[in-house]
Amino acid sequence: MYLKCHKRCKDGKEHRYWSIVESIRTRRGVMKRQALYLGEINDAQRAQWCSALDVFDNSSNSVRQMSLFPEDRTPPSEVTHAIQIRLNQMILRRPRQWGGCWLAMELWNQLGLDAFWRRRLPTSSKGTDWLHVLKTLVSYRLLDPGSEWRLHRDWFKTSAMGDLLGEDDSVAAKNTLYRCLDKLCEHKQDLFCFLKERWSQLFGISYDVLLYDLTSTYFECDPPEKAEGLRRFGYSRDKRPDCVQVVIALIVTPDGFPVAYEVMPGNTSDKTTLPEFLRKIEAQYGAMNRLWIMDRGIPTEGTLEQMRTEGASYLVGTPRGRLSKLESQLSTQSWNKVQSQVEVKLARDREDLYVLTRSGGRRDKEQSMRRRRLNKLWKRLHQIRRMKTLKRDALLLKLGAAKKEAGKAWGLVNIRLPEPRQPVTPESFTFGLNREKLRRVRRAEGTYLLRTNLTEGKPDELWKQYIILTEIEQAFKEIKQDLSIRPIYHQKDERIEAHIFVSFLSYCLQVTLKHKARSKAPGLTPRAIVEKFKAMQMIDVHLPTTDGRQLILPRYTQPEKDIQLLLCQLNLTLPKQPSPRIEELKTKCGADL
């Protein structure tokens, strides 16, 4: 990098503008790229032609208008507060990530979250601005998620959050971060109501169709000594049955906007969670004929009966075991094609309509999984039978391990075991394929059953409505992968809920960005947009003056063409460069101290 001067004549005066340029060597030669723009440095001998800028003077703790001149130019005598700088001694210091932090604050401002949080998180008597602490926590979770200890120890120093908030390192003190977490969860329900109104204003979101599902997230800690609180062992959707966990229930709109969530103990059964949520949503959004879309395993017969009584509509997945009751109706009907690889059939049972769906893509996936597991099981059984001097007890242990790995494929094989105290030989230990059961499994592959009380609905419309359930699956994916909600390191229930609350706020920012970019940049995910903006850095340009001080110019790097295009498409405008400051030049001894 080097300092470059651009000259321009205007109104009879020669202006000199300075920038820091990077030389990039390529196969076709050296390419020049402007990294930082420093602005104009006065070069005139007339006072009325000299420009000035506001500079914060650390010695007097005030802002003054100062005129900058290079070392080889003498300022006019009429100019007050003139400064001569040594351009040949310029130093670049403290590179830090700026673009992502600025984007997070822009999304925060577009949601108007300052209006919600300012009166709920007032500044403490000691001067701690809890709103700024919360902004730091939420931006950290969106940009580079990790533990609060990592934020305190490393991330805040390498980011420009302090510059954007006008704060120093105290805003990221370890105890300050934890104390801020303790202040959040009591405002959860109020935040849901605020976001409902705000998203309706910004994007025209309606709440007549809601998606409901559950997930779990685990902990990296020792299990609790007492079976109390949120941390419990339960069915792990993260494939970590060795870890305690909590269950998170989430409601989103078909567009992916989160409506509400709830944190429950890790051993909570899915089917016990829905009634309470129905009451909360009705209290928050009012009673109306709202359509609920859910996966199988969540609603019970009692819950569906309650929803019918209260006038709510539902479209839910149903276990395929109910097909036996509908087989006579379905066998007389032909398949109706609703998409290239999707076909449906209809059946009625009392007040509900059932939609049997057959998907070619899902069939291929299930068939591939079944073949892979069955082939592996078949190979393992042959290996076990060839083992010599194998006792019956050892045989049972090996078969138990094979059964666990084979899953449902185990039921497709008939196995005859040796009698107790009978030696294990190829004649006493035999196995074979259950072809009748295999035929039934193959016929059922790729099919799933839907149930609804929308009896007037068309099968293709019902199927398309159910498919939007993938939005909540995508929400869980982004929360777990992009925002790294797992694993959780907190052990107190209040901090656990606060950790999930901060992740929810970060997801609200990400969903806002996703919706803004959907029409303008549909090929980019929110994570890809954030990563592009994170490439913009902020650097402090130190320019020594001839009077023994130094001028510090904080400058963010010039955006590349792809970022400029994103700024235009998202209707975002970069702010002005931060104001410079001037301070006494530290000696080498002082700097070492």
Side-chain angles (χ1 to χ4, degrees), residues 287-420:
M288 60 181 297
N289 187 17
R290 184 175 287 114
L291 174 61
W292 289 83
I293 303 177
M294 295 167 281
D295 204 352
R296 63 183 183 181
I298 296 177
T300 62
E301 289 295 331
T303 305
L304 295 180
E305 178 63 30
Q306 176 189 346
M307 295 177 73
R308 286 193 295 266
T309 303
E310 296 176 355
S313 302
Y314 53 83
L315 176 59
V316 301
T318 304
R320 283 187 289 202
R322 191 173 288 269
L323 280 173
S324 58
K325 297 181 179 181
L326 307 171
E327 192 171 359
S328 59
Q329 292 188 50
L330 295 171
S331 61
T332 60
Q333 298 185 21
S334 58
W335 290 99
N336 296 321
K337 196 170 188 178
V338 297
Q339 214 179 45
S340 59
Q341 287 190 321
V342 180
E343 299 172 314
V344 296
K345 284 184 179 183
L346 290 182
R348 296 181 184 274
D349 183 23
R350 298 179 183 178
E351 300 179 7
D352 285 345
L353 179 69
Y354 291 84
V355 183
L356 178 62
T357 308
R358 183 170 66 183
S359 169
R362 182 165 179 166
R363 179 199 60 216
D364 295 341
K365 179 181 178 180
E366 292 181 2
Q367 188 179 77
S368 175
M369 293 171 60
R370 186 253 306 162
R371 285 178 175 175
R372 183 171 64 252
R373 290 193 173 185
L374 186 57
N375 289 338
K376 190 173 183 179
L377 172 62
W378 198 257
K379 182 179 178 181
R380 179 56 179 163
L381 291 175
H382 277 283
Q383 291 176 347
I384 294 175
R385 191 166 65 172
R386 287 195 297 266
M387 293 180 181
K388 298 180 179 180
T389 66
L390 185 64
K391 302 295 183 180
R392 187 177 185 275
D393 291 344
L395 171 65
L396 295 178
L397 290 175
K398 294 183 182 298
L399 291 178
K403 179 180 179 180
K404 181 179 179 181
E405 191 170 356
K408 293 182 179 180
W410 178 265
L412 302 178
V413 179
N414 294 327
I415 298 178
R416 186 172 70 87
L417 296 173
E419 297 294 333

Side-chain angles (χ1 to χ4, degrees), residues 345-587:
K345 284 184 179 183
L346 290 182
R348 296 181 184 274
D349 183 23
R350 298 179 183 178
E351 300 179 7
D352 285 345
L353 179 69
Y354 291 84
V355 183
L356 178 62
T357 308
R358 183 170 66 183
S359 169
R362 182 165 179 166
R363 179 199 60 216
D364 295 341
K365 179 181 178 180
E366 292 181 2
Q367 188 179 77
S368 175
M369 293 171 60
R370 186 253 306 162
R371 285 178 175 175
R372 183 171 64 252
R373 290 193 173 185
L374 186 57
N375 289 338
K376 190 173 183 179
L377 172 62
W378 198 257
K379 182 179 178 181
R380 179 56 179 163
L381 291 175
H382 277 283
Q383 291 176 347
I384 294 175
R385 191 166 65 172
R386 287 195 297 266
M387 293 180 181
K388 298 180 179 180
T389 66
L390 185 64
K391 302 295 183 180
R392 187 177 185 275
D393 291 344
L395 171 65
L396 295 178
L397 290 175
K398 294 183 182 298
L399 291 178
K403 179 180 179 180
K404 181 179 179 181
E405 191 170 356
K408 293 182 179 180
W410 178 265
L412 302 178
V413 179
N414 294 327
I415 298 178
R416 186 172 70 87
L417 296 173
E419 297 294 333
R421 299 182 181 179
Q422 183 181 5
V424 180
T425 64
E427 292 75 22
S428 61
F429 170 51
T430 60
F431 53 88
L433 197 60
N434 189 333
R435 299 188 180 276
E436 179 60 29
K437 194 170 184 179
L438 177 60
R439 280 192 290 268
R440 292 199 302 268
V441 169
R442 291 180 63 180
R443 283 197 300 267
E445 284 175 340
T447 62
Y448 52 95
L449 190 63
L450 308 181
R451 179 181 181 180
T452 180
N453 60 347
L454 298 174
T455 55
E456 302 300 325
K458 297 180 180 179
D460 55 340
E461 295 177 355
L462 293 173
W463 176 80
K464 290 177 181 178
Q465 283 183 312
Y466 183 76
I467 286 301
I468 63 177
L469 195 61
T470 55
E471 283 291 340
I472 200 167
E473 296 173 356
Q474 180 64 26
F476 285 142
K477 180 180 179 181
E478 292 178 6
I479 291 173
K480 289 186 175 182
Q481 295 185 2
D482 294 348
L483 305 180
S484 297
I485 194 175
R486 59 182 183 184
I488 301 175
Y489 297 97
H490 298 286
Q491 299 187 28
K492 295 182 179 180
D493 285 355
E494 297 79 9
R495 298 275 175 85
I496 294 169
E497 293 203 42
H499 169 83
I500 297 173
F501 186 80
V502 170
S503 300
F504 176 82
L505 273 173
S506 297
Y507 181 65
C508 291
L509 301 187
Q510 182 160 307
V511 167
T512 303
L513 177 60
K514 180 179 180 179
H515 200 78
K516 288 178 63 69
R518 181 170 292 176
S519 59
K520 301 294 185 179
L524 289 177
T525 63
R527 180 52 47 185
I529 296 175
V530 168
E531 291 299 325
K532 285 185 176 295
F533 274 92
K534 284 172 64 176
M536 294 184 65
Q537 301 285 307
M538 175 167 277
I539 302 175
D540 288 343
V541 181
H542 290 247
L543 295 169
T545 64
T546 56
D547 58 359
R549 296 182 292 174
Q550 63 177 346
L551 182 70
I552 302 176
L553 300 171
R555 290 293 182 267
Y556 59 77
T557 55
Q558 298 300 302
E560 299 288 348
K561 290 184 178 180
D562 53 351
I563 301 180
Q564 294 177 10
L565 181 61
L566 280 174
L567 290 169
C568 179
Q569 293 296 326
L570 298 177
N571 197 24
L572 297 175
T573 303
L574 291 176
K576 294 181 180 179
Q577 295 282 7
S579 299
R581 64 183 187 273
I582 192 167
E583 60 184 32
E584 297 296 329
L585 186 63
K586 295 179 181 180
T587 62

